[in-house]
Amino acid sequence: MKYSKYEIGPYNLHIIKTDKFKTINMHIDFRRKAIKGELTYRRLLSDILFESTAKYPSQRSLIIAKEDLYNQKISGGSRISGKTAFMSFSTQFLNEKYTEKGMLEKSITFFLETIFEPDFKDGNFRSDKLEIVKNKAVDSFKERDKNPSYYAYVKMLEAMDPNAYYSFVGSGYMDDLEKITPKSLTEYYKKVIHSDLIDVFIVGDVDNQVIKKMLTERIPVNTIKKQSDSLYIEHEKVRKRAKKVKENFDSKQSQLVMGAKISKLTDFEKNYVWYVYNYILGRGPDSKLFNTVREKHSLCYSISSQIKILSNILIIRAGINQENGEKTIKLIRKEINNIAKGLIEETEISNTITTFVNSFKEITNSPISIMEYYIARVYYNDDDIDMKIANVQKITKQMIVDFAKKIHVDTIFLLEGGG
């Protein structure tokens, strides 16, 4: 496996050459600093581009084209990561060694046409296609907001700070749909193409120079952009006393979501210690939260923790009965404090480290995990696999305790159901 990077002015090309797989995977990211009012535009763009293209003006024609290309797979979506809004497109297709000569060029051309040759009418996106993706968005927004777990999660982040990047909803907002027209979406599309940072990743057994030439001829972008600032969100202030918010919801189960800010992390903590801390606290099958809150005290149906390291926040989510809210909060706080006091078994640490070492070793077993690994290396300056294994094995109990002391519970959101 060999990694090569080419700076082609308007975009960066990253090729991970490996003959381990029969497929070739390609991924394109468009990224810019997140602006709340643009997120619905980005969501609709990632949808409408896969409805039709200039060459394939219907879903049926697109499906037939993919079948003719040996069932080529394409997908897209938008998301928020730290301060950055991403719009991503991916494809997977068979290497022409296993199909027929010329399929590499045909497959890449087809994929790029979905992004760079949209189905316009009179210079704008077609109104009928826009209506289709708007209706899909409305349905997904309604389903999303009916989900009590998701609703509580979003509301907790908004309660932490409605203006912070981490409170933005990457999939967009219902209120913004009406203002989007074929013309305004087209104008935003052109803005994205010419001003977003663009990275192209390819994993597979390819000739680097052939790929480079092929993309240079087919990606119609010529604007050179300045690289963005740090993706990490730093917290200047933390609450001395957590903010508590309650809301009622038509649901049998209540949802508790707690958010904590993490302050002043070292690079080693950002890259490694948080993995181990989070797994011990509430991510692993024998985590402290699971064993204490669910198994020992039977206070919740489910409980888990996650750390959004780019946003420097810890989030704990639990599905509970209404009467168990305060008890659950106290036990969660106790487990957080216990780790900060050093109440961790050495076996918990060693077992967790072994889990991550094994997961790092498995990265090369699939093209998707290889792709994700190199994307992390490019955007977040992640270490190579051998270095990751060596560094995670350096983590000590004291490092975890020091990390735990930087966690400050900020917001507690309780969505009360029917008990």
Side-chain angles (χ1 to χ4, degrees):
M1 191 164 66
K2 182 180 178 182
Y3 169 77
S4 302
K5 177 183 177 180
Y6 302 94
E7 295 181 2
I8 310 180
Y11 60 92
N12 294 317
L13 171 61
H14 313 268
I15 300 178
I16 303 94
K17 185 175 174 61
T18 173
D19 60 3
K20 193 172 182 179
F21 312 104
K22 291 184 176 181
T23 58
I24 293 171
N25 285 69
M26 185 171 174
H27 178 93
I28 302 180
D29 276 331
F30 293 81
R31 55 192 172 97
R32 65 166 59 221
K33 195 168 186 177
I35 297 174
K36 191 173 184 179
E38 294 183 355
L39 298 178
T40 311
Y41 276 93
R42 298 180 79 84
R43 187 257 167 76
L44 291 186
L45 269 184
S46 65
D47 288 345
I48 201 170
L49 291 173
F50 288 115
E51 281 295 317
S52 59
T53 69
K55 188 174 180 179
Y56 303 101
S58 68
Q59 272 290 294
R60 177 171 171 74
S61 61
L62 275 174
I63 291 170
I64 292 172
K66 285 186 281 187
E67 289 175 348
D68 289 342
L69 294 166
Y70 295 87
N71 197 27
Q72 180 172 352
K73 296 177 176 62
I74 58 173
S75 60
S78 59
R79 72 186 192 281
I80 290 280
S81 186
K83 299 177 181 179
T84 306
F86 283 84
M87 191 167 66
S88 304
F89 304 94
S90 299
T91 187
Q92 183 182 74
F93 53 89
L94 282 170
N95 191 312
E96 65 178 34
K97 290 180 179 180
Y98 307 99
T99 56
E100 57 188 278
K101 191 171 178 59
M103 293 308 295
L104 172 68
E105 183 175 359
K106 289 180 181 179
S107 299
I108 288 179
T109 299
F110 173 72
F111 177 56
L112 294 179
E113 283 175 350
T114 64
I115 302 169
F116 298 108
E117 296 184 23
D119 185 11
F120 284 168
K121 182 179 180 181
D122 299 326
N124 293 310
F125 282 107
R126 296 172 60 94
S127 58
D128 57 331
K129 303 297 182 183
L130 178 57
E131 198 62 29
I132 289 171
V133 296
K134 276 190 175 184
N135 289 335
K136 287 180 180 178
V138 168
D139 290 342
S140 71
F141 290 160
K142 287 180 179 178
E143 283 301 310
R144 181 184 74 184
D145 293 340
K146 278 188 212 174
N147 183 324
S149 176
Y150 174 84
Y151 181 86
Y153 173 80
V154 170
K155 288 297 181 181
M156 187 283 293
L157 291 173
E158 289 179 353
M160 283 184 83
D161 185 345
N163 299 312
Y165 292 103
Y166 52 74
S167 73
F168 295 174
V169 180
S171 57
Y173 299 88
M174 183 82 80
D175 293 344
D176 291 334
L177 280 176
E178 289 185 9
K179 68 180 77 168
I180 299 177
T181 65
K183 183 178 180 181
S184 67
L185 188 62
T186 303
E187 289 173 349
Y188 187 75
Y189 168 77
K190 293 176 180 177
K191 179 180 176 181
V192 165
I193 296 299
H194 294 294
S195 61
D196 270 32
L197 294 167
I198 303 174
D199 286 272
V200 182
F201 298 84
I202 294 181
V203 175
D205 188 8
V206 296
D207 183 310
N208 288 18
Q209 295 308 314
V210 169
I211 291 293
K212 184 180 175 183
K213 182 175 184 296
M214 201 178 290
L215 297 190
T216 302
E217 293 172 351
R218 288 167 177 77
I219 295 182
V221 181
N222 51 28
T223 310
I224 298 176
K225 302 103 175 178
K226 181 182 177 183
Q227 289 296 315
S228 58
D229 298 328
S230 171
L231 301 176
Y232 289 93
I233 296 170
E234 303 294 344
H235 304 292
E236 300 299 328
K237 296 180 180 179
V238 294
R239 296 185 203 276
K240 293 183 178 179
R241 177 175 292 185
K243 177 181 181 181
K244 289 188 177 182
V245 181
K246 286 186 180 181
E247 190 174 323
N248 293 320
F249 198 86
D250 185 15
S251 173
K252 292 181 180 179
Q253 194 180 113
S254 293
Q255 298 292 327
L256 172 67
V257 186
M258 296 174 62
K261 292 181 178 178
I262 311 173
S263 62
K264 299 178 181 177
L265 296 182
T266 66
D267 288 341
F268 191 83
E269 288 171 331
K270 286 178 180 177
N271 292 332
Y272 296 102
V273 181
W274 74 273
Y275 283 118
V276 178
Y277 172 89
N278 186 50
Y279 197 85
I280 291 172
L281 176 66
R283 205 65 179 176
D286 295 313
S287 70
K288 290 185 175 296
L289 292 180
F290 184 86
N291 284 333
T292 300
V293 183
R294 188 181 188 279
E295 295 298 293
K296 186 176 179 180
H297 293 275
S298 301
L299 291 177
C300 64
Y301 302 100
S302 61
I303 188 165
S304 64
S305 67
Q306 70 174 119
I307 289 180
K308 297 168 74 73
I309 198 63
L310 291 182
S311 299
N312 278 316
I313 55 176
L314 164 71
I315 300 170
I316 297 168
R317 304 164 77 170
I320 61 176
N321 286 329
Q322 183 178 359
E323 66 272 14
N324 291 337
E326 291 304 319
K327 293 178 185 176
T328 304
I329 291 168
K330 287 179 181 178
L331 280 177
I332 291 172
R333 279 183 171 277
K334 183 178 179 181
E335 290 303 329
I336 292 173
N337 290 333
N338 281 346
I339 296 179
K341 292 175 183 176
L343 300 179
I344 322 167
E345 298 294 332
E346 290 293 342
T347 52
E348 292 179 282
I349 300 171
S350 61
N351 289 342
T352 299
I353 288 173
T354 299
T355 296
F356 282 108
V357 167
N358 290 336
S359 71
F360 294 151
K361 289 179 179 178
E362 291 172 0
I363 285 173
T364 59
N365 290 344
S366 83
I368 301 299
S369 59
I370 291 172
M371 182 78 76
E372 291 172 347
Y373 162 67
Y374 275 98
I375 288 172
R377 289 200 69 183
V378 170
Y379 296 155
Y380 316 130
N381 297 316
D382 219 352
D383 293 320
D384 64 36
I385 294 173
D386 290 339
M387 184 65 74
K388 287 169 78 72
I389 290 172
N391 281 337
V392 80
Q393 290 176 326
K394 294 177 183 177
I395 294 175
T396 65
K397 179 177 178 178
Q398 189 58 50
M399 289 178 182
I400 298 169
V401 170
D402 291 342
F403 179 91
K405 290 177 179 178
K406 298 179 180 183
I407 291 173
H408 313 276
V409 177
D410 181 275
T411 303
I412 301 169
F413 186 91
L414 183 59
L415 189 66
E416 295 187 326

